[in-house]
Amino acid sequence: MSIFEYNGSAVVAMVGKNCFAIASDRRFGVQLQTIATDFQKIYRIHDKLFLGLSGLGTDAQTLYQRLVYQHKLYQLREERDMKPETFASLVSARLYEKRFGPYFCQPVIAGLSDEDKPFICTMDCIGAKELAKDFVVSGTASESLYGACEAMFKPDLEPEELFETISQALLSSVDRDCLSGWGGHVYVVTPTEVKERILKGRMD
């Protein structure tokens, strides 16, 4: 078993019309044993920028704390929030500088730019970015997430339709992966509001 699969995870981000959604499962396990069913995998950097971390739970929390520290320094120096593209470059640089002993995480970054244009991207554990215009996935359920998102995604979805699409894609995907599941956690972000919802899923 790969170290990335040790705790199990599923993270997906999807683009809509001037909005985006980011979702994750809630399971925290040690291989096949479930330890917690309310584990946080999506973190708010600011109101228009979210970070999802799949992979090893301990490394995810450490990396998040380092990135929050860097973002707060940026806010003090620049007196503004970081753009999603800038934050993606920061995450990539932080991961690459640890390339010989990497954080075992695969980040998913989703945000709205100044023109309210959605930006999503994912990267591997040493910071190689993969940009997309529709959706990005990571975690142990990524293969089934690719299939579900490919089948369900439509361009320019409104926030409510986007929520339905990403939720159905997530729930149907984690049912096909025994290392992730136990419900879902979804954020839908528009220029004016952030909606957070908890999904109930199969508890097995």
Side-chain angles (χ1 to χ4, degrees):
M1 178 180 266
S2 153
I3 190 68
F4 291 98
E5 297 170 2
Y6 189 70
N7 298 134
S9 51
V11 181
V12 55
M14 209 176 262
V15 163
K17 189 176 183 182
N18 294 337
C19 62
F20 70 86
I22 183 166
S24 77
D25 72 316
R26 306 188 76 205
R27 179 182 182 271
F28 175 79
V30 171
Q31 294 181 9
L32 297 177
Q33 182 182 13
T34 301
I35 306 296
T37 58
D38 58 354
F39 190 65
Q40 184 182 4
K41 292 173 190 168
I42 299 173
Y43 303 95
R44 185 190 296 227
I45 305 300
H46 59 76
D47 283 346
K48 291 187 179 179
L49 179 60
F50 286 76
L51 170 72
L53 292 170
S54 70
L56 194 65
T58 48
D59 278 7
Q61 290 177 333
T62 305
L63 181 59
Y64 166 66
Q65 285 166 355
R66 278 200 70 193
L67 293 170
V68 164
Y69 164 72
Q70 296 278 344
H71 185 255
K72 283 182 175 169
L73 283 180
Y74 181 94
Q75 281 176 318
L76 285 168
R77 194 169 54 243
E78 303 281 336
E79 297 182 358
R80 63 193 167 104
D81 288 330
M82 209 179 263
K83 290 179 184 172
E85 295 85 350
T86 315
F87 186 72
S89 299
L90 168 70
V91 176
S92 181
R94 287 295 154 270
L95 289 171
Y96 191 69
E97 73 184 15
K98 289 266 193 286
R99 64 192 175 280
F100 298 118
Y103 293 112
F104 296 114
C105 290
Q106 291 167 319
V108 169
I109 294 152
L112 286 176
S113 66
D114 293 342
E115 300 82 44
D116 296 330
K117 192 168 177 281
F119 169 89
I120 54 169
C121 113
T122 184
M123 54 192 81
D124 65 5
C125 65
I126 56 166
K129 281 191 280 192
E130 184 190 336
L131 304 170
K133 290 187 167 61
D134 44 10
F135 57 84
V136 291
V137 304
S138 83
T140 53
S142 59
E143 285 182 19
S144 47
L145 274 166
Y146 267 121
C149 292
E150 205 73 69
M152 296 180 187
F153 178 80
K154 293 192 193 83
D156 292 335
L157 289 170
E158 296 296 330
E160 281 306 310
E161 296 172 303
L162 185 63
F163 166 71
E164 283 296 328
T165 305
I166 200 168
S167 302
Q168 292 298 336
L170 180 76
L171 289 175
S172 60
S173 299
V174 296
D175 283 351
R176 288 164 180 77
D177 173 42
C178 61
L179 296 172
S180 59
W182 286 79
H185 196 175
V186 185
Y187 288 92
V188 179
V189 181
T190 65
T192 52
E193 63 179 347
V194 177
K195 279 187 180 167
E196 179 186 3
R197 294 186 177 105
I198 302 293
L199 306 176
K200 283 191 175 173
R202 281 179 56 159
M203 299 295 187
D204 61 356

